[in-house]
């Protein structure tokens, strides 16, 4: 915080720093966002967030080939992104989830009755993680999961999944768990029959994330001989990269 001309405290912004620091901060913030979604979507404490910010700053400094002092104010600017990046993912997934599963934003009694029934069916046994959720086949191969990954990190060739490819290759299991947790939140929003905005809060969804992460790890162990999860991750990444190259007018 800094004092303005009127004596009031104001929040520091990127524009308050010199050009070199601003450039490193821009890169470090992007790296921090990548680290959050691929490693620590729900940091347990400010200490964990600070360590993540320091790591992002070191790696951004390495990219720039510079040594720039990391001040506490810069750490705060990066850690603001912790909940923001997950909120962005949820915003993108909300519309995708509704259209993919057929939730209806209608005032008709039929729709209001059908939406919560659909939500409960999808959540029963985490059916929504399957490609065919009704038959429960094709686990972790849902097209919705692919669409979310495409839109959030691979929408074009300057998105984080492309520019900071090393954080997404191989595609982290923790990122898949995060996407599935966000889908669960989006489904929860239809539980009353009409769409309601539910905050993607750590207190509510960190436990859900841990359940998905453990399920993914169990699946990996149970299918280790076939390396199925690795193949699923590779396919998700390959398709996402193709989308960024060809579906958005960014041909090499």
């Amino acid at each position: 915080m800094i004092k303005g001309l009127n004596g009031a405290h104001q929040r520091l912004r990127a524009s308050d720093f010199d050009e070199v620091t601003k450039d490193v901060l821009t890169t470090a913030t992007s790296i921090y966002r990548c680290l959050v979604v691929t490693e620590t979507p729900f940091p347990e404490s400010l200490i964990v967030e600070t360590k993540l910010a320091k790591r992002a700053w070191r790696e951004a400094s390495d990219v720039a080939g510079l040594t720039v002092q990391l001040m506490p104010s810069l750490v705060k600017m990066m850690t603001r992104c912790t909940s923001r990046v997950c909120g962005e993912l949820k915003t993108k997934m909300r519309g995708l989830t509704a259209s993919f599963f057929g939730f209806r934003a209608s005032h008709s009694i039929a729709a209001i009755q059908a939406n919560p029934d659909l939500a409960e069916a999808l959540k029963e046994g985490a059916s929504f993680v399957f490609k065919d959720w009704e038959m429960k086949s094709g686990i972790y191969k849902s097209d919705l999961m692919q669409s979310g990954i495409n839109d959030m990190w691979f929408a074009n060739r300057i998105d984080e999944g492309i520019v900071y490819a090393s954080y997404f290759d191989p595609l982290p299991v923790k990122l898949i768990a995060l996407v599935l947790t966000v889908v669960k939140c989006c489904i929860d929003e239809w539980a009353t029959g009409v769409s309601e905005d539910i905050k993607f809060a750590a207190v509510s969804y960190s436990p859900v994330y841990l359940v998905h992460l453990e399920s993914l790890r169990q699946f990996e162990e149970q299918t280790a001989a076939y390396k199925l999860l690795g193949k699923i991750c590779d396919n998700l990444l390959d398709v996402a990269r193709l989308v960024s190259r060809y579906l958005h007018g960014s041909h090499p």
Side-chain angles (χ1 to χ4, degrees):
M1 302 290 281
I2 60 175
K3 277 192 175 182
L5 295 176
N6 61 359
H9 285 87
Q10 299 175 351
R11 177 177 284 185
L12 280 168
R13 296 170 296 181
S15 58
D16 294 316
F17 300 96
D18 62 77
E19 291 301 319
V20 173
T21 303
K22 283 193 286 187
D23 288 344
V24 176
L25 177 60
T26 298
T27 301
T29 300
S30 293
I31 291 174
Y32 181 84
R33 287 166 53 92
C34 294
L35 291 173
V36 167
V37 298
T38 60
E39 295 188 14
T40 318
F42 299 101
E44 297 176 358
S45 66
L46 182 58
I47 294 175
V48 174
E49 287 184 301
T50 300
K51 287 182 178 179
L52 216 59
K54 288 180 177 179
R55 176 181 163 189
W57 190 262
R58 287 195 305 271
E59 294 180 12
S61 297
D62 290 342
V63 170
L66 299 168
T67 301
V68 181
Q69 182 181 3
L70 176 59
M71 296 177 286
S73 55
L74 294 167
V75 171
K76 288 181 181 179
M77 293 181 73
M78 282 186 278
T79 56
R80 287 179 204 156
C81 297
T82 303
S83 59
R84 189 179 303 163
V85 64
C86 291
E88 289 176 20
L89 176 59
K90 189 206 161 189
T91 297
K92 291 180 182 294
M93 292 301 304
R94 180 183 287 126
L96 290 173
T97 301
S99 60
F100 185 81
F101 290 119
F103 287 108
R104 295 171 54 198
S106 171
H107 294 295
S108 72
I109 295 176
I112 293 174
Q113 290 176 337
N115 287 334
D117 291 343
L118 176 58
E120 285 304 312
L122 288 167
K123 290 187 290 184
E124 178 68 29
S127 299
F128 63 88
V129 307
F130 293 89
K131 186 175 183 66
D132 185 332
W133 70 268
E134 292 178 301
M135 298 300 294
K136 287 193 176 182
S137 64
I139 190 169
Y140 301 128
K141 294 182 180 181
S142 170
D143 292 336
L144 175 60
M145 186 165 62
Q146 181 74 69
S147 296
I149 292 171
N150 295 351
D151 285 11
M152 183 66 186
W153 296 288
F154 296 88
N156 53 62
R157 295 186 72 181
I158 61 171
D159 258 3
E160 290 166 349
I162 299 297
V163 177
Y164 302 98
S166 62
Y167 300 97
F168 297 86
D169 188 3
L171 198 70
V173 173
K174 290 183 176 180
L175 183 139
I176 295 177
L178 174 61
V179 172
L180 293 174
T181 304
V182 172
V183 172
K184 166 66 163 53
C185 179
C186 293
I187 293 172
D188 287 341
E189 293 189 328
W190 292 94
T192 63
V194 295
S195 180
E196 296 182 340
D197 186 17
I198 295 178
K199 186 177 180 181
F200 191 67
V203 66
S204 300
Y205 288 99
S206 177
V208 177
Y209 165 78
L210 292 175
V211 168
H212 282 298
L213 185 59
E214 179 60 25
S215 295
L216 282 158
R217 287 173 172 165
Q218 288 180 5
F219 174 75
E220 184 175 27
E221 291 177 5
Q222 293 167 359
T223 61
Y226 307 99
K227 299 180 179 180
L228 288 187
L229 187 58
K231 292 176 181 178
I232 289 171
C233 290
D234 288 346
N235 185 68
L236 286 167
L237 182 59
D238 288 345
V239 172
R241 284 172 168 169
L242 284 173
V243 167
S244 70
R245 290 176 185 173
Y246 299 109
L247 300 186
H248 297 271
S250 301
H251 297 265

